[in-house]
Amino acid sequence: MRVLTVIGNRPQFVKAAAVSFRLREVADEVLVHTGQHYDDDLSAVFFDELELPRPEHRLELGGGSNTEQTGRMLAALDPLLAAEAPDAVLVYGDTNSTLAGALAAAQARVPVAHVEAGMRSFDRSMPEELNRVLADHAADLLLCSSEGPAQRLRDEAVQGEVVVVGDVMVDVAQLLAPRARERTAVLEACAVEPGAFLLATAHRAGNVDDPARLERLAALLTGLPDPVVLPLHPRTRARLDAAGLLGELEADLGVRLVPPLGYLDFTALLLHARAVLTDSGGVQKEAYLAGVPCLTLRDRTEWTETVDAGWNVLVDLDAAAAAAALARERPASRPPLYGDGRAGARVVQALLALRERVPA
Ligand code: UDP
C-alpha cells in the first residue's frame, strides 16, 4: 500500500511522529511537507527530536491569507497526486494543509483518511473550524480521538467510515515524557522553579490579529501572580511588535520571553509548570495528559472533555477569571479520555483495512 501523508505545521509534525514509523513498517509512505510552517523553530527541530522521516516532497507554500495558501496547496498537490498515485492520502488535524490534502485527494478520487476527525469548537470564525468540518466531509476514513467526536460525526451523517483510534498525541507524550521530565536545563535557563511558574502560549488569529484583544492578552500575561514562561510564536511576536507591546512584555520581570521551543524543552516546562495558559488546541490536551491545570485563552474549545473533567477552564482573555481559575483546587481524578497511547498502531490498521475495502 502507498500512502501519501500531507503535513505542514508544528502540531502535525507531533501527530505524524506517532504514525509514520509504524506505517513505514508495512506500507510505502510518501511524506509531503507543505511548508506552512517553515521557520526552523517550528519545523526542523521537530523532525530531529521526533525522528520523523525526511519529507519526500518539500513544498514552500507558507504565507499569505488562508484562502491564498490553501489555493496554492491545492494547485501543488494535484500534479503530485497524479505523479505519486497513492492508494490513500493521510491528513491530520485542522490546518490549511489538512483541508488542501483532503480536498485535492477527494477530487482526484483517492481515499482520504483524517486523523483527529470530528473535533468541533462550533466557532466558524476560527479558520481551523472550517478546515475540520470540510476535511471531515471529504474523508473516507474518519479517525477519532474519543467517542464524543465519533458520535458527532455520525450525527452529521458523514459519508466516510468512523473509527475511534484514540489520540496520537498521547502516544508521543507517553513515549517522550520520561526524557522531557529530565530536561531541567530549560527551567534553569528561564530562571524558574518546578511547580512555581506558569507556561503560556498564544497564537490564534482571534487573539493576536485584533489589536484590542492583543492588548488584553498582554495585560493578562503581565498581571499573573507567578513567573510566566512565554515561548513566543513568530506570528505573535510580529503582532506584538507592530502594536508596540513587545517592549512592555520584554521589560516585565515576571515574563520570560523565549523563542518557540522544541518539543522536548516545551514538554519539560509543561510537566513542571503549576498551570498552563494557552489558546492552542494541542497544548490543552497535553496539559490534561500531564495532569497540569489549563486555562484556555478562548471562549470555546474543541477539547470539551478536558473542561468537563475539571482540568481546563475557558477564561478567554478575562484576567479576573484567570486569577479565579488559578486559585482553584485540582480535581481529584483524571480519567483517560484520549486512549491508551496506541493510537498510531490503530491508525495504521485502519488504513490497511481501507485499502482492502477500496481496491485500486
Ligand atoms: N509546542 C512546542 N513548542 C512550543 C509550543 C508548542 O513544541 O514552543 C508543541 C506542543 O507541545 C504541541 C504542539 O506544539 O505538541 C501544539 O502546536 P500549536 O500550539 O502550534 O498548534 P495547535 O495545537 O493549536 O493546532
Short mmCIF file of all heavy atoms in Angstrom, two decimals, residues 9-11 14-15 37 41-42 46 94-95 128 169 201 203-204 231-233 259-264 266-267 270 278-283 286 298 302, ligand 1:
data_model
loop_
_atom_site.label_atom_id
_atom_site.label_comp_id
_atom_site.label_asym_id
_atom_site.label_seq_id
_atom_site.Cartn_x
_atom_site.Cartn_y
_atom_site.Cartn_z
N ASN A 9 2.55 21.82 9.56
CA ASN A 9 2.88 22.71 10.67
C ASN A 9 3.16 21.94 11.96
O ASN A 9 2.99 20.72 12.02
CB ASN A 9 1.85 23.82 10.84
CG ASN A 9 0.61 23.37 11.55
OD1 ASN A 9 0.43 22.19 11.80
ND2 ASN A 9 -0.25 24.30 11.88
N ARG A 10 3.58 22.71 12.95
CA ARG A 10 4.12 22.15 14.20
C ARG A 10 3.26 21.01 14.79
O ARG A 10 3.79 19.92 15.00
CB ARG A 10 4.30 23.30 15.18
CG ARG A 10 4.76 22.90 16.54
CD ARG A 10 5.24 24.10 17.32
NE ARG A 10 4.16 24.97 17.75
CZ ARG A 10 4.34 26.11 18.42
NH1 ARG A 10 5.55 26.52 18.72
NH2 ARG A 10 3.32 26.84 18.78
N PRO A 11 1.97 21.24 15.07
CA PRO A 11 1.24 20.14 15.70
C PRO A 11 1.14 18.90 14.81
O PRO A 11 1.05 17.77 15.31
CB PRO A 11 -0.15 20.74 15.98
CG PRO A 11 -0.24 21.95 15.12
CD PRO A 11 1.16 22.46 14.96
N VAL A 14 4.13 16.65 15.28
CA VAL A 14 4.00 15.85 16.51
C VAL A 14 3.07 14.66 16.25
O VAL A 14 3.39 13.51 16.60
CB VAL A 14 3.46 16.73 17.67
CG1 VAL A 14 3.27 15.89 18.93
CG2 VAL A 14 4.38 17.91 17.95
N LYS A 15 1.95 14.92 15.61
CA LYS A 15 0.96 13.84 15.39
C LYS A 15 1.52 12.78 14.44
O LYS A 15 1.37 11.57 14.68
CB LYS A 15 -0.34 14.44 14.83
CG LYS A 15 -1.07 15.28 15.87
CD LYS A 15 -2.15 16.19 15.28
CE LYS A 15 -2.49 17.28 16.31
NZ LYS A 15 -3.37 18.32 15.81
N HIS A 37 4.47 25.84 7.97
CA HIS A 37 5.46 26.35 8.93
C HIS A 37 6.83 26.10 8.35
O HIS A 37 7.17 24.95 8.04
CB HIS A 37 5.35 25.62 10.29
CG HIS A 37 4.30 26.19 11.19
ND1 HIS A 37 3.93 25.58 12.36
CD2 HIS A 37 3.58 27.33 11.10
CE1 HIS A 37 3.00 26.32 12.96
NE2 HIS A 37 2.76 27.38 12.21
N ASP A 41 12.53 26.82 13.99
CA ASP A 41 11.97 26.66 15.34
C ASP A 41 10.64 25.92 15.33
O ASP A 41 10.25 25.32 16.32
CB ASP A 41 11.68 28.04 15.96
CG ASP A 41 12.95 28.73 16.41
OD1 ASP A 41 13.99 28.09 16.43
OD2 ASP A 41 12.86 29.93 16.74
N LEU A 42 9.91 26.06 14.25
CA LEU A 42 8.58 25.44 14.19
C LEU A 42 8.59 24.19 13.33
O LEU A 42 7.57 23.52 13.20
CB LEU A 42 7.56 26.42 13.60
CG LEU A 42 7.29 27.72 14.35
CD1 LEU A 42 6.17 28.49 13.68
CD2 LEU A 42 6.93 27.46 15.80
N PHE A 46 11.51 19.69 15.10
CA PHE A 46 10.55 18.61 15.35
C PHE A 46 10.93 17.35 14.57
O PHE A 46 10.81 16.24 15.08
CB PHE A 46 9.13 19.06 15.01
CG PHE A 46 8.65 20.07 16.00
CD1 PHE A 46 8.94 21.41 15.84
CD2 PHE A 46 7.97 19.67 17.13
CE1 PHE A 46 8.54 22.33 16.78
CE2 PHE A 46 7.57 20.58 18.09
CZ PHE A 46 7.86 21.92 17.91
N ASP A 94 -6.34 20.20 11.69
CA ASP A 94 -7.29 21.24 11.25
C ASP A 94 -6.63 22.43 10.56
O ASP A 94 -7.10 23.56 10.68
CB ASP A 94 -8.08 21.72 12.47
CG ASP A 94 -7.17 22.21 13.59
OD1 ASP A 94 -5.99 22.51 13.32
OD2 ASP A 94 -7.64 22.30 14.73
N THR A 95 -5.54 22.21 9.86
CA THR A 95 -4.85 23.35 9.25
C THR A 95 -5.18 23.46 7.76
O THR A 95 -5.86 22.60 7.19
CB THR A 95 -3.33 23.21 9.40
OG1 THR A 95 -2.89 22.21 8.48
CG2 THR A 95 -2.94 22.82 10.81
N GLU A 128 -9.58 27.25 11.68
CA GLU A 128 -9.39 25.82 11.96
C GLU A 128 -10.71 25.07 11.94
O GLU A 128 -10.77 23.90 11.55
CB GLU A 128 -8.73 25.63 13.33
CG GLU A 128 -7.31 26.16 13.45
CD GLU A 128 -7.25 27.64 13.82
OE1 GLU A 128 -8.31 28.30 13.93
OE2 GLU A 128 -6.13 28.16 14.01
N MET A 169 -1.49 12.07 19.91
CA MET A 169 -0.58 12.87 20.76
C MET A 169 -0.32 12.18 22.10
O MET A 169 0.69 12.45 22.75
CB MET A 169 -1.14 14.28 20.97
CG MET A 169 -0.96 15.15 19.73
SD MET A 169 -1.75 16.73 19.90
CE MET A 169 -0.33 17.77 20.20
N THR A 201 1.18 29.98 26.03
CA THR A 201 1.36 30.10 24.57
C THR A 201 0.12 30.78 24.00
O THR A 201 -0.99 30.58 24.51
CB THR A 201 1.53 28.74 23.83
OG1 THR A 201 0.25 28.11 23.66
CG2 THR A 201 2.47 27.80 24.55
N HIS A 203 -1.27 32.09 19.93
CA HIS A 203 -1.01 32.44 18.52
C HIS A 203 -2.26 32.41 17.65
O HIS A 203 -2.18 32.65 16.46
CB HIS A 203 0.03 31.49 17.92
CG HIS A 203 -0.44 30.07 17.82
ND1 HIS A 203 -0.37 29.20 18.86
CD2 HIS A 203 -1.02 29.39 16.81
CE1 HIS A 203 -0.86 28.03 18.50
NE2 HIS A 203 -1.28 28.12 17.26
N ARG A 204 -3.43 32.10 18.24
CA ARG A 204 -4.65 32.04 17.42
C ARG A 204 -4.95 33.40 16.83
O ARG A 204 -4.80 34.44 17.50
CB ARG A 204 -5.86 31.64 18.29
CG ARG A 204 -5.86 30.22 18.74
CD ARG A 204 -6.78 29.35 17.89
NE ARG A 204 -6.02 28.61 16.90
CZ ARG A 204 -5.23 27.56 17.16
NH1 ARG A 204 -5.09 27.10 18.37
NH2 ARG A 204 -4.59 26.97 16.19
N PRO A 231 6.94 31.05 25.40
CA PRO A 231 7.62 30.80 24.12
C PRO A 231 6.80 31.48 23.02
O PRO A 231 5.65 31.13 22.81
CB PRO A 231 7.57 29.27 23.98
CG PRO A 231 7.12 28.73 25.30
CD PRO A 231 6.31 29.83 25.94
N LEU A 232 7.42 32.43 22.37
CA LEU A 232 6.65 33.34 21.52
C LEU A 232 6.62 32.86 20.07
O LEU A 232 7.66 32.79 19.39
CB LEU A 232 7.29 34.73 21.61
CG LEU A 232 6.37 35.92 21.44
CD1 LEU A 232 5.11 35.82 22.27
CD2 LEU A 232 7.13 37.20 21.77
N HIS A 233 5.44 32.53 19.61
CA HIS A 233 5.20 32.13 18.22
C HIS A 233 5.56 33.32 17.32
O HIS A 233 5.27 34.47 17.68
CB HIS A 233 3.71 31.79 18.10
CG HIS A 233 3.31 31.09 16.85
ND1 HIS A 233 3.17 31.75 15.65
CD2 HIS A 233 3.03 29.79 16.60
CE1 HIS A 233 2.79 30.89 14.72
NE2 HIS A 233 2.71 29.69 15.28
N PRO A 259 12.15 32.11 22.53
CA PRO A 259 11.71 31.74 21.18
C PRO A 259 10.84 30.47 21.26
O PRO A 259 10.84 29.80 22.30
CB PRO A 259 13.02 31.42 20.44
CG PRO A 259 14.12 31.80 21.35
CD PRO A 259 13.59 31.94 22.72
N PRO A 260 10.13 30.12 20.18
CA PRO A 260 9.38 28.87 20.19
C PRO A 260 10.34 27.73 20.51
O PRO A 260 11.48 27.72 20.04
CB PRO A 260 8.86 28.73 18.75
CG PRO A 260 9.04 30.05 18.12
CD PRO A 260 10.08 30.79 18.88
N LEU A 261 9.90 26.79 21.33
CA LEU A 261 10.81 25.73 21.80
C LEU A 261 10.58 24.44 21.04
O LEU A 261 9.49 24.20 20.49
CB LEU A 261 10.56 25.49 23.29
CG LEU A 261 10.83 26.70 24.18
CD1 LEU A 261 10.31 26.44 25.59
CD2 LEU A 261 12.32 27.02 24.21
N GLY A 262 11.58 23.57 21.06
CA GLY A 262 11.41 22.22 20.53
C GLY A 262 10.46 21.44 21.44
O GLY A 262 10.15 21.87 22.56
N TYR A 263 10.02 20.29 20.96
CA TYR A 263 9.02 19.51 21.71
C TYR A 263 9.53 19.11 23.09
O TYR A 263 8.79 19.20 24.07
CB TYR A 263 8.65 18.26 20.89
CG TYR A 263 7.57 17.43 21.55
CD1 TYR A 263 6.23 17.75 21.39
CD2 TYR A 263 7.88 16.33 22.34
CE1 TYR A 263 5.23 17.01 22.01
CE2 TYR A 263 6.89 15.58 22.96
CZ TYR A 263 5.57 15.93 22.78
OH TYR A 263 4.58 15.18 23.40
N LEU A 264 10.78 18.71 23.19
CA LEU A 264 11.28 18.21 24.48
C LEU A 264 11.39 19.32 25.52
O LEU A 264 10.97 19.15 26.67
CB LEU A 264 12.63 17.51 24.30
CG LEU A 264 12.56 16.18 23.56
CD1 LEU A 264 13.96 15.65 23.24
CD2 LEU A 264 11.79 15.13 24.37
N PHE A 266 9.76 22.16 25.48
CA PHE A 266 8.41 22.64 25.78
C PHE A 266 7.72 21.68 26.75
O PHE A 266 7.10 22.10 27.73
CB PHE A 266 7.59 22.80 24.50
CG PHE A 266 6.24 23.40 24.75
CD1 PHE A 266 6.10 24.76 24.95
CD2 PHE A 266 5.11 22.60 24.86
CE1 PHE A 266 4.86 25.32 25.25
CE2 PHE A 266 3.87 23.15 25.15
CZ PHE A 266 3.75 24.52 25.34
N THR A 267 7.87 20.39 26.49
CA THR A 267 7.23 19.40 27.35
C THR A 267 7.85 19.41 28.74
O THR A 267 7.15 19.22 29.74
CB THR A 267 7.31 18.00 26.70
OG1 THR A 267 6.75 18.09 25.39
CG2 THR A 267 6.56 16.95 27.49
N LEU A 270 6.15 22.15 30.46
CA LEU A 270 4.75 21.78 30.71
C LEU A 270 4.64 20.84 31.92
O LEU A 270 3.79 21.02 32.79
CB LEU A 270 4.19 21.11 29.46
CG LEU A 270 2.78 20.54 29.54
CD1 LEU A 270 1.77 21.65 29.29
CD2 LEU A 270 2.56 19.45 28.52
N THR A 278 -3.17 28.89 27.54
CA THR A 278 -2.92 28.67 26.12
C THR A 278 -4.17 28.89 25.28
O THR A 278 -5.29 28.72 25.78
CB THR A 278 -2.40 27.23 25.90
OG1 THR A 278 -1.95 27.10 24.56
CG2 THR A 278 -3.46 26.17 26.16
N ASP A 279 -3.97 29.24 24.01
CA ASP A 279 -5.09 29.18 23.07
C ASP A 279 -4.87 28.07 22.04
O ASP A 279 -5.59 27.96 21.06
CB ASP A 279 -5.31 30.55 22.39
CG ASP A 279 -4.11 31.01 21.57
OD1 ASP A 279 -3.17 30.23 21.36
OD2 ASP A 279 -4.12 32.20 21.14
N SER A 280 -3.86 27.24 22.29
CA SER A 280 -3.56 26.12 21.41
C SER A 280 -4.52 24.96 21.67
O SER A 280 -4.93 24.75 22.81
CB SER A 280 -2.12 25.66 21.68
OG SER A 280 -1.93 24.31 21.30
N GLY A 281 -4.84 24.21 20.63
CA GLY A 281 -5.64 23.01 20.83
C GLY A 281 -4.79 21.91 21.46
O GLY A 281 -5.13 21.35 22.51
N GLY A 282 -3.64 21.64 20.83
CA GLY A 282 -2.79 20.54 21.28
C GLY A 282 -2.30 20.72 22.71
O GLY A 282 -2.23 19.76 23.48
N VAL A 283 -1.99 21.95 23.07
CA VAL A 283 -1.43 22.18 24.41
C VAL A 283 -2.50 21.95 25.49
O VAL A 283 -2.19 21.45 26.58
CB VAL A 283 -0.79 23.58 24.51
CG1 VAL A 283 -0.30 23.87 25.92
CG2 VAL A 283 0.38 23.70 23.53
N GLU A 286 -2.37 18.26 25.93
CA GLU A 286 -1.12 17.82 26.57
C GLU A 286 -1.10 18.19 28.05
O GLU A 286 -0.56 17.44 28.87
CB GLU A 286 0.09 18.43 25.85
CG GLU A 286 0.30 17.81 24.48
CD GLU A 286 1.35 18.52 23.64
OE1 GLU A 286 1.63 19.71 23.89
OE2 GLU A 286 1.87 17.90 22.71
N ARG A 298 -9.54 31.25 25.33
CA ARG A 298 -10.59 31.29 24.30
C ARG A 298 -11.93 31.15 25.02
O ARG A 298 -11.94 30.75 26.19
CB ARG A 298 -10.43 30.10 23.33
CG ARG A 298 -9.25 30.22 22.43
CD ARG A 298 -8.73 28.90 21.87
NE ARG A 298 -9.72 28.00 21.33
CZ ARG A 298 -9.41 26.84 20.74
NH1 ARG A 298 -8.17 26.46 20.59
NH2 ARG A 298 -10.34 26.05 20.29
N GLU A 302 -12.58 22.88 21.31
CA GLU A 302 -12.99 21.61 20.72
C GLU A 302 -12.67 20.46 21.67
O GLU A 302 -13.18 19.36 21.51
CB GLU A 302 -12.36 21.42 19.33
CG GLU A 302 -10.85 21.46 19.23
CD GLU A 302 -10.24 22.87 19.32
OE1 GLU A 302 -10.98 23.84 19.63
OE2 GLU A 302 -9.03 23.00 19.10
N1 UDP B 1 4.89 23.16 21.13
C1 UDP B 1 6.28 23.12 21.12
N2 UDP B 1 6.98 24.27 21.39
C2 UDP B 1 6.37 25.45 21.69
C3 UDP B 1 4.95 25.48 21.70
C4 UDP B 1 4.24 24.33 21.41
O1 UDP B 1 6.87 22.07 20.89
O2 UDP B 1 7.05 26.45 21.93
C5 UDP B 1 4.16 21.93 20.77
C6 UDP B 1 3.17 21.44 21.80
O3 UDP B 1 3.79 20.59 22.72
C7 UDP B 1 2.15 20.72 20.94
C8 UDP B 1 2.17 21.49 19.63
O4 UDP B 1 3.39 22.22 19.62
O5 UDP B 1 2.55 19.39 20.68
C9 UDP B 1 0.99 22.44 19.56
O6 UDP B 1 1.16 23.26 18.48
P1 UDP B 1 0.35 24.61 18.26
O7 UDP B 1 0.01 25.19 19.56
O8 UDP B 1 1.17 25.41 17.32
O9 UDP B 1 -0.92 24.16 17.44
P2 UDP B 1 -2.43 23.76 17.79
O10 UDP B 1 -2.38 22.54 18.65
O11 UDP B 1 -3.07 24.94 18.43
O12 UDP B 1 -3.04 23.46 16.46
#
